[in-house]
Amino acid sequence: MTQPRSPLPPALSRLTLPVIGSPLFIISHPDLVIAQCKAGIVGSFPALNARPASQLDEWLHQITEALAAHDRDHPDRPAAPFAVNQIVHRSNDRLEEDLAVCAKWKVPIVITSLGAREDVNAGVSAWGGITLHDVIDDRFARKAIEKGATGLIAVATGAGGHAGRLSPFALVQEIRQWFGGPLALAGAIATGDAVLAAQAMGADFAYIGSPFIATVEARAAQAYKKAVVDGHARDIVYSSLFTGVHGNYLRTSIVAAGLDPDHLPDGDAAHMDFGGGQAAKAWRDIWGAGQGIGAVDAIVPAADRIAQLRREYDAARERLLGGSA
């Protein structure tokens, strides 16, 4: 039996489209986050994208001020909240420092990845924020909620970057058997139709990353953006070689690095390094992307991409529901 839904936290209840823009390692930065939030979806970035660490304070100041100015100028359509992604894995030696900066700015949403910690969740709650935790199966989902996460991000097969192996149908239905709180779904979601489908199967939000690589504001090389536009699901390779954790990558970037994408050895999770070493180099040279890139056909401003998602979402509702609420 499906668990009854809980009311969404205020931070997640004022989106104009049920979408969370996923944090893109190296790529997401204030310009993209601000554009996403102004267009009505949650914009996010990894704290580790701010280098040196002192830049995180500058970025949070920039984002906070820009969104406050937008709200003053557009009281009828306030911006969506933003999120900061924190890698909780022991290899992240910046975690405590970055959390202190997030506390200073009272970051509304913290997305935690590669580990769940009670103290992190409690700390975010203490300043009035909420935590959403990345999970790839039901076991990790239960652990995250037991340790105090507000909600979950179910990362299913086909998602860009670090991704799971499970069907989104299987993953969402297992979680919804016992959890009625905030739930986002990641996994090849690139159209408004897919956003509605995510809600239909039980998620509250779609978690979308790869389509935002091919935006004007994204801090990605032009060749990377073009590869997303030109790519298809068949061009995505699932491998643990580059960071020690399984993820999805563009075949063209693997070939360009002189590797055979069809015969990659396994990586070693014991040697993950998110402090700016091997993992950062991997994401710079080996380009992450999800299986949904076949729906991305142009490099456009983020606001235009979101407007297209909204049109598709509304059309899908009209088609399926006949315009009924």
Side-chain angles (χ1 to χ4, degrees), residues 239-285:
S239 173
S240 64
L241 172 62
F242 306 107
T243 66
V245 177
H246 273 92
N248 282 317
Y249 304 91
L250 281 164
R251 176 178 292 270
T252 51
S253 67
I254 297 172
V255 173
L259 300 171
D260 181 352
D262 296 317
H263 299 90
L264 295 174
D266 292 333
D268 184 358
H271 294 97
M272 281 192 293
D273 172 15
F274 289 93
Q278 183 60 34
K281 184 177 187 300
W283 288 107
R284 186 177 61 247
D285 300 336

mmCIF file of all heavy atoms in Angstrom, residues 239-285:
data_model
loop_
_atom_site.group_PDB
_atom_site.id
_atom_site.type_symbol
_atom_site.label_atom_id
_atom_site.label_comp_id
_atom_site.label_asym_id
_atom_site.label_seq_id
_atom_site.Cartn_x
_atom_site.Cartn_y
_atom_site.Cartn_z
ATOM 1 N N SER A 239 30.081 3.523 -16.302
ATOM 2 C CA SER A 239 31.382 3.026 -15.855
ATOM 3 C C SER A 239 31.722 3.563 -14.473
ATOM 4 O O SER A 239 31.316 4.671 -14.096
ATOM 5 C CB SER A 239 32.468 3.445 -16.845
ATOM 6 O OG SER A 239 33.754 3.111 -16.364
ATOM 7 N N SER A 240 32.505 2.778 -13.725
ATOM 8 C CA SER A 240 33.003 3.228 -12.422
ATOM 9 C C SER A 240 34.465 3.673 -12.490
ATOM 10 O O SER A 240 35.055 4.050 -11.473
ATOM 11 C CB SER A 240 32.882 2.095 -11.394
ATOM 12 O OG SER A 240 33.720 1.007 -11.756
ATOM 13 N N LEU A 241 35.062 3.619 -13.693
ATOM 14 C CA LEU A 241 36.495 3.869 -13.822
ATOM 15 C C LEU A 241 36.923 5.241 -13.320
ATOM 16 O O LEU A 241 37.941 5.386 -12.643
ATOM 17 C CB LEU A 241 36.918 3.708 -15.292
ATOM 18 C CG LEU A 241 38.362 4.126 -15.628
ATOM 19 C CD1 LEU A 241 39.359 3.267 -14.866
ATOM 20 C CD2 LEU A 241 38.597 4.052 -17.127
ATOM 21 N N PHE A 242 36.155 6.262 -13.623
ATOM 22 C CA PHE A 242 36.669 7.626 -13.504
ATOM 23 C C PHE A 242 36.639 8.198 -12.098
ATOM 24 O O PHE A 242 37.492 9.018 -11.751
ATOM 25 C CB PHE A 242 35.915 8.524 -14.485
ATOM 26 C CG PHE A 242 35.968 7.993 -15.890
ATOM 27 C CD1 PHE A 242 34.846 7.414 -16.471
ATOM 28 C CD2 PHE A 242 37.153 7.997 -16.599
ATOM 29 C CE1 PHE A 242 34.902 6.884 -17.748
ATOM 30 C CE2 PHE A 242 37.222 7.458 -17.870
ATOM 31 C CZ PHE A 242 36.095 6.904 -18.447
ATOM 32 N N THR A 243 35.679 7.801 -11.281
ATOM 33 C CA THR A 243 35.623 8.315 -9.908
ATOM 34 C C THR A 243 35.528 7.215 -8.864
ATOM 35 O O THR A 243 35.528 7.505 -7.669
ATOM 36 C CB THR A 243 34.414 9.254 -9.708
ATOM 37 O OG1 THR A 243 33.198 8.492 -9.830
ATOM 38 C CG2 THR A 243 34.419 10.377 -10.724
ATOM 39 N N GLY A 244 35.414 5.971 -9.285
ATOM 40 C CA GLY A 244 35.237 4.882 -8.338
ATOM 41 C C GLY A 244 33.789 4.566 -8.057
ATOM 42 O O GLY A 244 33.466 3.572 -7.405
ATOM 43 N N VAL A 245 32.874 5.410 -8.532
ATOM 44 C CA VAL A 245 31.430 5.204 -8.396
ATOM 45 C C VAL A 245 30.839 5.144 -9.795
ATOM 46 O O VAL A 245 31.222 5.937 -10.668
ATOM 47 C CB VAL A 245 30.780 6.356 -7.598
ATOM 48 C CG1 VAL A 245 29.267 6.174 -7.513
ATOM 49 C CG2 VAL A 245 31.380 6.438 -6.199
ATOM 50 N N HIS A 246 29.914 4.224 -10.026
ATOM 51 C CA HIS A 246 29.338 4.098 -11.358
ATOM 52 C C HIS A 246 28.618 5.384 -11.788
ATOM 53 O O HIS A 246 27.879 5.993 -11.007
ATOM 54 C CB HIS A 246 28.345 2.931 -11.411
ATOM 55 C CG HIS A 246 29.008 1.623 -11.714
ATOM 56 N ND1 HIS A 246 29.458 0.785 -10.723
ATOM 57 C CD2 HIS A 246 29.316 1.028 -12.902
ATOM 58 C CE1 HIS A 246 30.012 -0.290 -11.281
ATOM 59 N NE2 HIS A 246 29.937 -0.165 -12.594
ATOM 60 N N GLY A 247 28.861 5.773 -13.013
ATOM 61 C CA GLY A 247 28.223 6.959 -13.559
ATOM 62 C C GLY A 247 28.076 6.840 -15.056
ATOM 63 O O GLY A 247 28.633 5.937 -15.698
ATOM 64 N N ASN A 248 27.322 7.772 -15.637
ATOM 65 C CA ASN A 248 27.073 7.795 -17.078
ATOM 66 C C ASN A 248 27.866 8.918 -17.731
ATOM 67 O O ASN A 248 27.845 10.065 -17.257
ATOM 68 C CB ASN A 248 25.577 7.978 -17.349
ATOM 69 C CG ASN A 248 24.808 6.681 -17.153
ATOM 70 O OD1 ASN A 248 25.256 5.618 -17.588
ATOM 71 N ND2 ASN A 248 23.658 6.755 -16.511
ATOM 72 N N TYR A 249 28.530 8.569 -18.852
ATOM 73 C CA TYR A 249 29.437 9.501 -19.512
ATOM 74 C C TYR A 249 29.238 9.454 -21.026
ATOM 75 O O TYR A 249 28.811 8.441 -21.585
ATOM 76 C CB TYR A 249 30.894 9.143 -19.195
ATOM 77 C CG TYR A 249 31.187 9.089 -17.721
ATOM 78 C CD1 TYR A 249 31.047 7.893 -17.009
ATOM 79 C CD2 TYR A 249 31.587 10.223 -17.029
ATOM 80 C CE1 TYR A 249 31.300 7.836 -15.651
ATOM 81 C CE2 TYR A 249 31.854 10.174 -15.672
ATOM 82 C CZ TYR A 249 31.697 8.980 -14.984
ATOM 83 O OH TYR A 249 31.942 8.931 -13.640
ATOM 84 N N LEU A 250 29.604 10.543 -21.679
ATOM 85 C CA LEU A 250 29.523 10.615 -23.130
ATOM 86 C C LEU A 250 30.646 9.804 -23.778
ATOM 87 O O LEU A 250 31.826 9.996 -23.484
ATOM 88 C CB LEU A 250 29.612 12.070 -23.593
ATOM 89 C CG LEU A 250 28.322 12.892 -23.475
ATOM 90 C CD1 LEU A 250 28.629 14.374 -23.579
ATOM 91 C CD2 LEU A 250 27.329 12.479 -24.554
ATOM 92 N N ARG A 251 30.249 8.923 -24.658
ATOM 93 C CA ARG A 251 31.202 8.052 -25.347
ATOM 94 C C ARG A 251 32.277 8.865 -26.073
ATOM 95 O O ARG A 251 33.463 8.499 -26.068
ATOM 96 C CB ARG A 251 30.432 7.181 -26.344
ATOM 97 C CG ARG A 251 31.290 6.280 -27.227
ATOM 98 C CD ARG A 251 30.414 5.427 -28.129
ATOM 99 N NE ARG A 251 29.669 4.448 -27.343
ATOM 100 C CZ ARG A 251 30.104 3.225 -27.064
ATOM 101 N NH1 ARG A 251 31.270 2.814 -27.533
ATOM 102 N NH2 ARG A 251 29.376 2.396 -26.346
ATOM 103 N N THR A 252 31.884 9.971 -26.705
ATOM 104 C CA THR A 252 32.838 10.759 -27.483
ATOM 105 C C THR A 252 33.985 11.285 -26.626
ATOM 106 O O THR A 252 35.132 11.340 -27.076
ATOM 107 C CB THR A 252 32.135 11.942 -28.170
ATOM 108 O OG1 THR A 252 31.377 12.660 -27.185
ATOM 109 C CG2 THR A 252 31.204 11.467 -29.268
ATOM 110 N N SER A 253 33.692 11.651 -25.377
ATOM 111 C CA SER A 253 34.748 12.182 -24.512
ATOM 112 C C SER A 253 35.690 11.070 -24.051
ATOM 113 O O SER A 253 36.885 11.305 -23.850
ATOM 114 C CB SER A 253 34.139 12.900 -23.305
ATOM 115 O OG SER A 253 33.476 12.001 -22.433
ATOM 116 N N ILE A 254 35.162 9.868 -23.896
ATOM 117 C CA ILE A 254 36.003 8.738 -23.510
ATOM 118 C C ILE A 254 36.963 8.386 -24.647
ATOM 119 O O ILE A 254 38.151 8.155 -24.431
ATOM 120 C CB ILE A 254 35.132 7.520 -23.137
ATOM 121 C CG1 ILE A 254 34.263 7.858 -21.919
ATOM 122 C CG2 ILE A 254 35.998 6.291 -22.862
ATOM 123 C CD1 ILE A 254 33.241 6.803 -21.581
ATOM 124 N N VAL A 255 36.438 8.382 -25.859
ATOM 125 C CA VAL A 255 37.270 8.118 -27.036
ATOM 126 C C VAL A 255 38.341 9.201 -27.180
ATOM 127 O O VAL A 255 39.514 8.907 -27.458
ATOM 128 C CB VAL A 255 36.405 8.034 -28.306
ATOM 129 C CG1 VAL A 255 37.280 7.943 -29.551
ATOM 130 C CG2 VAL A 255 35.467 6.830 -28.230
ATOM 131 N N ALA A 256 37.951 10.458 -26.977
ATOM 132 C CA ALA A 256 38.904 11.567 -27.101
ATOM 133 C C ALA A 256 40.029 11.464 -26.084
ATOM 134 O O ALA A 256 41.141 11.962 -26.315
ATOM 135 C CB ALA A 256 38.168 12.901 -26.933
ATOM 136 N N ALA A 257 39.759 10.795 -24.960
ATOM 137 C CA ALA A 257 40.787 10.610 -23.938
ATOM 138 C C ALA A 257 41.692 9.423 -24.231
ATOM 139 O O ALA A 257 42.578 9.096 -23.440
ATOM 140 C CB ALA A 257 40.128 10.434 -22.574
ATOM 141 N N GLY A 258 41.467 8.770 -25.380
ATOM 142 C CA GLY A 258 42.306 7.652 -25.779
ATOM 143 C C GLY A 258 41.929 6.328 -25.165
ATOM 144 O O GLY A 258 42.737 5.391 -25.136
ATOM 145 N N LEU A 259 40.675 6.218 -24.676
ATOM 146 C CA LEU A 259 40.213 4.989 -24.029
ATOM 147 C C LEU A 259 39.185 4.284 -24.903
ATOM 148 O O LEU A 259 38.533 4.901 -25.749
ATOM 149 C CB LEU A 259 39.595 5.316 -22.666
ATOM 150 C CG LEU A 259 40.522 5.996 -21.645
ATOM 151 C CD1 LEU A 259 39.727 6.461 -20.438
ATOM 152 C CD2 LEU A 259 41.639 5.059 -21.224
ATOM 153 N N ASP A 260 39.046 2.999 -24.683
ATOM 154 C CA ASP A 260 38.045 2.205 -25.397
ATOM 155 C C ASP A 260 36.793 2.137 -24.533
ATOM 156 O O ASP A 260 36.783 1.462 -23.493
ATOM 157 C CB ASP A 260 38.575 0.795 -25.650
ATOM 158 C CG ASP A 260 37.584 -0.086 -26.409
ATOM 159 O OD1 ASP A 260 36.428 0.343 -26.608
ATOM 160 O OD2 ASP A 260 37.974 -1.207 -26.784
ATOM 161 N N PRO A 261 35.719 2.828 -24.913
ATOM 162 C CA PRO A 261 34.523 2.869 -24.058
ATOM 163 C C PRO A 261 33.843 1.519 -23.868
ATOM 164 O O PRO A 261 33.058 1.358 -22.936
ATOM 165 C CB PRO A 261 33.608 3.860 -24.794
ATOM 166 C CG PRO A 261 34.082 3.844 -26.203
ATOM 167 C CD PRO A 261 35.556 3.612 -26.141
ATOM 168 N N ASP A 262 34.144 0.569 -24.722
ATOM 169 C CA ASP A 262 33.527 -0.754 -24.605
ATOM 170 C C ASP A 262 34.350 -1.724 -23.767
ATOM 171 O O ASP A 262 33.919 -2.860 -23.523
ATOM 172 C CB ASP A 262 33.306 -1.348 -25.994
ATOM 173 C CG ASP A 262 32.326 -0.526 -26.822
ATOM 174 O OD1 ASP A 262 31.291 -0.108 -26.253
ATOM 175 O OD2 ASP A 262 32.606 -0.280 -28.013
ATOM 176 N N HIS A 263 35.520 -1.309 -23.318
ATOM 177 C CA HIS A 263 36.386 -2.189 -22.524
ATOM 178 C C HIS A 263 37.077 -1.383 -21.433
ATOM 179 O O HIS A 263 38.310 -1.299 -21.362
ATOM 180 C CB HIS A 263 37.423 -2.889 -23.419
ATOM 181 C CG HIS A 263 36.819 -3.766 -24.466
ATOM 182 N ND1 HIS A 263 36.491 -3.303 -25.727
ATOM 183 C CD2 HIS A 263 36.463 -5.077 -24.420
ATOM 184 C CE1 HIS A 263 35.965 -4.302 -26.419
ATOM 185 N NE2 HIS A 263 35.937 -5.383 -25.658
ATOM 186 N N LEU A 264 36.278 -0.771 -20.562
ATOM 187 C CA LEU A 264 36.826 0.032 -19.479
ATOM 188 C C LEU A 264 36.963 -0.816 -18.213
ATOM 189 O O LEU A 264 36.035 -1.545 -17.839
ATOM 190 C CB LEU A 264 35.913 1.222 -19.184
ATOM 191 C CG LEU A 264 35.769 2.256 -20.303
ATOM 192 C CD1 LEU A 264 34.713 3.289 -19.925
ATOM 193 C CD2 LEU A 264 37.090 2.943 -20.596
ATOM 194 N N PRO A 265 38.090 -0.739 -17.537
ATOM 195 C CA PRO A 265 38.227 -1.459 -16.269
ATOM 196 C C PRO A 265 37.384 -0.797 -15.184
ATOM 197 O O PRO A 265 36.935 0.339 -15.338
ATOM 198 C CB PRO A 265 39.719 -1.334 -15.963
ATOM 199 C CG PRO A 265 40.138 -0.064 -16.637
ATOM 200 C CD PRO A 265 39.300 0.027 -17.890
ATOM 201 N N ASP A 266 37.173 -1.498 -14.091
ATOM 202 C CA ASP A 266 36.430 -0.932 -12.967
ATOM 203 C C ASP A 266 37.299 0.053 -12.203
ATOM 204 O O ASP A 266 38.523 -0.081 -12.153
ATOM 205 C CB ASP A 266 35.968 -2.034 -12.015
ATOM 206 C CG ASP A 266 34.902 -2.924 -12.632
ATOM 207 O OD1 ASP A 266 34.171 -2.437 -13.519
ATOM 208 O OD2 ASP A 266 34.783 -4.089 -12.209
ATOM 209 N N GLY A 267 36.646 1.038 -11.598
ATOM 210 C CA GLY A 267 37.355 1.975 -10.749
ATOM 211 C C GLY A 267 37.377 1.494 -9.310
ATOM 212 O O GLY A 267 36.789 0.464 -8.971
ATOM 213 N N ASP A 268 38.044 2.259 -8.455
ATOM 214 C CA ASP A 268 38.197 1.890 -7.053
ATOM 215 C C ASP A 268 37.595 2.981 -6.177
ATOM 216 O O ASP A 268 38.126 4.087 -6.091
ATOM 217 C CB ASP A 268 39.683 1.716 -6.726
ATOM 218 C CG ASP A 268 39.917 1.244 -5.301
ATOM 219 O OD1 ASP A 268 38.930 1.096 -4.551
ATOM 220 O OD2 ASP A 268 41.084 1.023 -4.940
ATOM 221 N N ALA A 269 36.468 2.652 -5.531
ATOM 222 C CA ALA A 269 35.778 3.644 -4.696
ATOM 223 C C ALA A 269 36.646 4.107 -3.528
ATOM 224 O O ALA A 269 36.449 5.198 -2.993
ATOM 225 C CB ALA A 269 34.472 3.056 -4.172
ATOM 226 N N ALA A 270 37.614 3.296 -3.132
ATOM 227 C CA ALA A 270 38.475 3.668 -2.005
ATOM 228 C C ALA A 270 39.369 4.851 -2.327
ATOM 229 O O ALA A 270 39.924 5.480 -1.426
ATOM 230 C CB ALA A 270 39.336 2.474 -1.592
ATOM 231 N N HIS A 271 39.501 5.174 -3.614
ATOM 232 C CA HIS A 271 40.391 6.264 -4.007
ATOM 233 C C HIS A 271 39.641 7.464 -4.578
ATOM 234 O O HIS A 271 40.209 8.265 -5.312
ATOM 235 C CB HIS A 271 41.418 5.758 -5.026
ATOM 236 C CG HIS A 271 42.366 4.759 -4.456
ATOM 237 N ND1 HIS A 271 42.184 3.400 -4.597
ATOM 238 C CD2 HIS A 271 43.483 4.917 -3.698
ATOM 239 C CE1 HIS A 271 43.170 2.757 -3.969
ATOM 240 N NE2 HIS A 271 43.963 3.652 -3.420
ATOM 241 N N MET A 272 38.373 7.593 -4.218
ATOM 242 C CA MET A 272 37.641 8.796 -4.628
ATOM 243 C C MET A 272 38.287 10.026 -4.008
ATOM 244 O O MET A 272 38.754 9.991 -2.866
ATOM 245 C CB MET A 272 36.176 8.717 -4.181
ATOM 246 C CG MET A 272 35.301 7.859 -5.053
ATOM 247 S SD MET A 272 33.554 8.091 -4.688
ATOM 248 C CE MET A 272 33.449 7.406 -3.059
ATOM 249 N N ASP A 273 38.287 11.109 -4.770
ATOM 250 C CA ASP A 273 38.879 12.353 -4.285
ATOM 251 C C ASP A 273 38.058 13.507 -4.826
ATOM 252 O O ASP A 273 38.135 13.831 -6.004
ATOM 253 C CB ASP A 273 40.333 12.481 -4.745
ATOM 254 C CG ASP A 273 40.929 13.847 -4.417
ATOM 255 O OD1 ASP A 273 40.331 14.569 -3.600
ATOM 256 O OD2 ASP A 273 41.963 14.184 -4.994
ATOM 257 N N PHE A 274 37.260 14.138 -3.938
ATOM 258 C CA PHE A 274 36.440 15.259 -4.378
ATOM 259 C C PHE A 274 36.996 16.585 -3.884
ATOM 260 O O PHE A 274 36.291 17.584 -3.808
ATOM 261 C CB PHE A 274 34.991 15.061 -3.905
ATOM 262 C CG PHE A 274 34.306 13.946 -4.647
ATOM 263 C CD1 PHE A 274 34.310 12.664 -4.148
ATOM 264 C CD2 PHE A 274 33.694 14.182 -5.858
ATOM 265 C CE1 PHE A 274 33.698 11.632 -4.835
ATOM 266 C CE2 PHE A 274 33.085 13.154 -6.564
ATOM 267 C CZ PHE A 274 33.076 11.874 -6.041
ATOM 268 N N GLY A 275 38.255 16.592 -3.552
ATOM 269 C CA GLY A 275 38.871 17.832 -3.106
ATOM 270 C C GLY A 275 39.556 18.602 -4.209
ATOM 271 O O GLY A 275 40.229 19.584 -3.960
ATOM 272 N N GLY A 276 39.396 18.156 -5.444
ATOM 273 C CA GLY A 276 40.004 18.877 -6.550
ATOM 274 C C GLY A 276 41.016 18.062 -7.300
ATOM 275 O O GLY A 276 41.675 18.566 -8.209
ATOM 276 N N GLY A 277 41.169 16.788 -6.945
ATOM 277 C CA GLY A 277 42.166 15.947 -7.584
ATOM 278 C C GLY A 277 41.608 15.142 -8.733
ATOM 279 O O GLY A 277 41.051 15.674 -9.681
ATOM 280 N N GLN A 278 41.711 13.809 -8.637
ATOM 281 C CA GLN A 278 41.372 12.932 -9.753
ATOM 282 C C GLN A 278 39.924 13.048 -10.191
ATOM 283 O O GLN A 278 39.629 13.068 -11.381
ATOM 284 C CB GLN A 278 41.691 11.476 -9.375
ATOM 285 C CG GLN A 278 41.434 10.474 -10.494
ATOM 286 C CD GLN A 278 42.273 10.754 -11.726
ATOM 287 O OE1 GLN A 278 43.405 11.208 -11.613
ATOM 288 N NE2 GLN A 278 41.718 10.522 -12.898
ATOM 289 N N ALA A 279 38.995 13.135 -9.215
ATOM 290 C CA ALA A 279 37.578 13.201 -9.587
ATOM 291 C C ALA A 279 37.282 14.467 -10.381
ATOM 292 O O ALA A 279 36.555 14.445 -11.373
ATOM 293 C CB ALA A 279 36.696 13.133 -8.346
ATOM 294 N N ALA A 280 37.849 15.584 -9.952
ATOM 295 C CA ALA A 280 37.628 16.833 -10.677
ATOM 296 C C ALA A 280 38.191 16.736 -12.095
ATOM 297 O O ALA A 280 37.575 17.190 -13.058
ATOM 298 C CB ALA A 280 38.272 17.995 -9.929
ATOM 299 N N LYS A 281 39.354 16.134 -12.217
ATOM 300 C CA LYS A 281 39.955 15.967 -13.542
ATOM 301 C C LYS A 281 39.086 15.067 -14.415
ATOM 302 O O LYS A 281 38.893 15.335 -15.603
ATOM 303 C CB LYS A 281 41.358 15.382 -13.413
ATOM 304 C CG LYS A 281 42.114 15.263 -14.735
ATOM 305 C CD LYS A 281 43.522 14.738 -14.514
ATOM 306 C CE LYS A 281 44.331 14.782 -15.814
ATOM 307 N NZ LYS A 281 43.749 13.971 -16.880
ATOM 308 N N ALA A 282 38.540 14.004 -13.789
ATOM 309 C CA ALA A 282 37.686 13.097 -14.560
ATOM 310 C C ALA A 282 36.476 13.831 -15.124
ATOM 311 O O ALA A 282 36.135 13.683 -16.300
ATOM 312 C CB ALA A 282 37.244 11.934 -13.678
ATOM 313 N N TRP A 283 35.831 14.642 -14.299
ATOM 314 C CA TRP A 283 34.629 15.330 -14.766
ATOM 315 C C TRP A 283 34.956 16.433 -15.769
ATOM 316 O O TRP A 283 34.089 16.842 -16.544
ATOM 317 C CB TRP A 283 33.863 15.895 -13.575
ATOM 318 C CG TRP A 283 33.192 14.852 -12.755
ATOM 319 C CD1 TRP A 283 33.556 14.414 -11.512
ATOM 320 C CD2 TRP A 283 32.047 14.085 -13.104
ATOM 321 N NE1 TRP A 283 32.706 13.433 -11.089
ATOM 322 C CE2 TRP A 283 31.774 13.208 -12.028
ATOM 323 C CE3 TRP A 283 31.218 14.055 -14.227
ATOM 324 C CZ2 TRP A 283 30.706 12.315 -12.038
ATOM 325 C CZ3 TRP A 283 30.152 13.161 -14.243
ATOM 326 C CH2 TRP A 283 29.909 12.313 -13.156
ATOM 327 N N ARG A 284 36.180 16.926 -15.750
ATOM 328 C CA ARG A 284 36.569 17.945 -16.729
ATOM 329 C C ARG A 284 36.857 17.325 -18.089
ATOM 330 O O ARG A 284 36.494 17.864 -19.128
ATOM 331 C CB ARG A 284 37.800 18.705 -16.212
ATOM 332 C CG ARG A 284 38.197 19.882 -17.107
ATOM 333 C CD ARG A 284 39.365 20.654 -16.514
ATOM 334 N NE ARG A 284 40.552 19.817 -16.383
ATOM 335 C CZ ARG A 284 41.087 19.445 -15.226
ATOM 336 N NH1 ARG A 284 40.540 19.813 -14.082
ATOM 337 N NH2 ARG A 284 42.176 18.689 -15.192
ATOM 338 N N ASP A 285 37.519 16.195 -18.094
ATOM 339 C CA ASP A 285 37.958 15.574 -19.347
ATOM 340 C C ASP A 285 36.980 14.519 -19.866
ATOM 341 O O ASP A 285 36.878 14.306 -21.077
ATOM 342 C CB ASP A 285 39.326 14.926 -19.150
ATOM 343 C CG ASP A 285 40.390 15.938 -18.741
ATOM 344 O OD1 ASP A 285 40.209 17.129 -19.053
ATOM 345 O OD2 ASP A 285 41.381 15.534 -18.106
#
